[in-house]
Amino acid sequence: MLPTVFQKAAKVISIIEENQYEAYFVGGCVRDYIIGRPIHDVDIASSALPSEIQNIFPKVIPVGLEHGTVIVRYEQESFEVTTYRTEGVYTDHRRPDEVYFVRNIEEDLKRRDFTMNAIAMDAKGEMLDPFYGREDIVSERIQTVGDAAERFKEDALRIIRALRFSSQLGFSIEGHTKKAMKHYKGLIDKLAVERLTVELEKLCAGSFFKKAVDYIFELEIYHHLPIFNDEPLLLKELEPVASLAPVFAFVALKRSSITVTDCIKAYKCSNQLKQQASNLVDAYHHYKKDGINAWFVYQWPRDHWDHFTYLVKQIDKDIIDIKEIYSIYEGLPILSKKDLCVNGHDLMRWFPERPKGKWIKELLDQIEYHIVISGLANEKSKIKEWIQWNLPVQD
């Protein structure tokens, strides 16, 4: 019996087949099922055209009709179904000029990047494997479908994807595939950098990241990776991490000539990631100055603690016990400014002779700091007493 993640999707395949069309599980879900890795997304390929899928199922969302992709809503879940297709010429080495829908699954599998991703599986778990992808999986080998040179000329992102799969799976890259990667690596420069960024983040998160870095140096692909083309040795210093924020923070801290902003612009990342990376740099400087104290833990978001400890380990080779941070966190008297028992209205009521001004915010900031760091009790009477001795000078 197929794993649970496939079972409801198998019903979708059966319904398509009942309507006289073919349908198979394809791509990464089949590869990961064979390997025994966790399966996150289940993709279905079918001989049915998008319009035919829309006639079969009552609720279909047309998300990518030009590529033959729709989302089928079935029993409160979504399933991506894509029509078998083949592709025309890749003039720009990034995307096909034209997409053609076909009725033959082997024609669809033939256009895919690597043999391990060109296996189809039916609703019963039977596999169609015309390019011997299972053999390559067993041999832990990354090999293109058909001629490697053609695959990489079509879409140079496949060069980075080969490295990413090596990082994630620990597989070795087959000789002809590797030779073609080196020969056509210059085409990476033609890619939309946003596509490169997505693959780089996945590559950096792989458990076998060091193996991928070895390939990057062997094939001299670092020449075509922004930022690292000038500082390739930084790649060798990195350990796997599931975000580019600590990677960019690491680069900025190791090389004063490169800023977080430089990295963000080079890879066209979001402002959110820029803020995360900048915060990590600030956190590192705070740590070097004052160590880990209550104010540090109070200010720093919990979901970034792992990234901070990663960064310290990368820069200083220091191991920070995350339990120490959690212990300090659990002892904090407040967790945010909203927990203060006083506000600006209280301050104005206590000091009616004072006009509104920046002294209110400054005083609330001081109260917040001293409650966290100095043991000032978060009680109105105690705070009012403390203010008598610490009232800012009037503007």
Side-chain angles (χ1 to χ4, degrees), residues 136-156:
D136 283 335
I137 288 173
V138 170
S139 301
E140 299 188 346
R141 182 169 54 224
I142 298 169
Q143 182 168 208
T144 56
V145 174
D147 182 62
E150 288 302 314
R151 295 290 80 77
F152 296 136
K153 282 193 290 183
E154 287 169 351
D155 186 356

Side-chain angles (χ1 to χ4, degrees), residues 16-74:
I16 295 172
E17 290 175 337
E18 288 168 6
N19 284 269
Q20 311 307 311
Y21 300 103
E22 294 178 1
Y24 292 90
F25 296 113
V26 291
C29 63
V30 180
R31 176 198 67 230
D32 290 342
Y33 171 55
I34 295 169
I35 294 172
R37 297 178 79 225
I39 298 164
H40 302 291
D41 298 311
V42 172
D43 292 325
I44 298 170
S46 174
S47 61
L49 298 172
S51 59
E52 292 166 338
I53 294 293
Q54 289 173 313
N55 289 334
I56 293 171
F57 295 94
K59 188 165 186 181
V60 176
I61 305 169
V63 292
L65 290 179
E66 69 277 14
H67 300 295
T69 301
V70 296
I71 290 177
V72 171
R73 288 290 296 169
Y74 180 75

Side-chain angles (χ1 to χ4, degrees), residues 17 74 139 272 278 313 380 386:
E17 290 175 337
Y74 180 75
S139 301
Q272 181 184 14
S278 298
K313 182 180 177 183
K380 284 194 174 183
W386 178 87

Side-chain angles (χ1 to χ4, degrees), residues 17-297:
E17 290 175 337
E18 288 168 6
N19 284 269
Q20 311 307 311
Y21 300 103
E22 294 178 1
Y24 292 90
F25 296 113
V26 291
C29 63
V30 180
R31 176 198 67 230
D32 290 342
Y33 171 55
I34 295 169
I35 294 172
R37 297 178 79 225
I39 298 164
H40 302 291
D41 298 311
V42 172
D43 292 325
I44 298 170
S46 174
S47 61
L49 298 172
S51 59
E52 292 166 338
I53 294 293
Q54 289 173 313
N55 289 334
I56 293 171
F57 295 94
K59 188 165 186 181
V60 176
I61 305 169
V63 292
L65 290 179
E66 69 277 14
H67 300 295
T69 301
V70 296
I71 290 177
V72 171
R73 288 290 296 169
Y74 180 75
E75 294 184 354
Q76 288 77 55
E77 290 188 31
S78 297
F79 301 93
E80 191 172 286
V81 179
T82 302
T83 302
Y84 301 159
R85 66 181 195 252
T86 188
E87 296 165 343
V89 176
Y90 286 69
T91 303
D92 59 3
H93 308 288
R94 292 160 61 178
R95 61 181 71 83
D97 295 348
E98 295 180 279
V99 171
Y100 307 98
F101 298 139
V102 295
R103 299 287 189 177
N104 185 299
I105 182 62
E106 289 198 25
E107 285 296 309
D108 182 85
L109 297 176
K110 188 189 298 183
R111 70 177 175 82
R112 295 176 182 265
D113 52 6
F114 305 109
T115 59
M116 63 182 177
N117 296 330
I119 306 168
M121 183 173 72
D122 67 19
K124 297 177 182 176
E126 296 294 321
M127 296 197 188
L128 182 65
D129 183 17
F131 305 104
Y132 307 102
R134 281 177 295 181
E135 183 178 309
D136 283 335
I137 288 173
V138 170
S139 301
E140 299 188 346
R141 182 169 54 224
I142 298 169
Q143 182 168 208
T144 56
V145 174
D147 182 62
E150 288 302 314
R151 295 290 80 77
F152 296 136
K153 282 193 290 183
E154 287 169 351
D155 186 356
L157 190 69
R158 290 167 175 165
I159 296 171
I160 306 300
R161 281 171 60 81
L163 297 169
R164 187 252 286 187
F165 286 126
S166 180
S167 177
Q168 289 178 324
L169 306 175
F171 288 10
S172 298
I173 301 174
E174 178 268 339
H176 292 293
T177 301
K178 189 166 63 171
K179 184 177 179 181
M181 288 169 66
K182 184 169 186 176
H183 186 79
Y184 291 101
K185 64 182 185 291
L187 296 177
I188 294 170
D189 297 336
K190 296 180 179 292
L191 294 172
V193 73
E194 293 89 344
R195 297 179 73 209
L196 180 63
T197 301
V198 170
E199 291 298 325
L200 180 66
E201 185 162 61
K202 293 177 181 178
L203 190 158
C204 288
S207 300
F208 303 92
F209 175 69
K210 294 292 187 186
K211 184 165 190 170
V213 170
D214 286 343
Y215 280 127
I216 287 171
F217 275 82
E218 177 186 349
L219 305 179
E220 298 181 334
I221 287 171
Y222 60 82
H223 288 301
H224 308 281
L225 299 178
I227 300 298
F228 298 108
N229 51 1
D230 292 326
E231 295 288 351
L233 292 178
L234 290 177
L235 285 167
K236 287 186 175 288
E237 295 184 48
L238 286 170
E239 297 289 335
V241 64
S243 169
L244 288 178
V247 172
F248 292 160
F250 170 80
V251 170
L253 288 166
K254 290 289 286 187
R255 297 290 187 270
S256 59
S257 59
I258 303 173
T259 66
V260 165
T261 299
D262 293 333
C263 297
I264 295 298
K265 286 183 177 178
Y267 284 96
K268 294 188 178 179
C269 296
S270 67
N271 286 332
Q272 181 184 14
L273 194 134
K274 178 182 179 179
Q275 191 62 55
Q276 291 172 359
S278 298
N279 287 347
L280 279 167
V281 171
D282 291 343
Y284 177 80
H285 289 312
H286 179 106
Y287 163 74
K288 295 302 288 184
K289 181 175 180 287
D290 299 320
I292 296 176
N293 55 27
W295 186 244
F296 173 86
V297 175

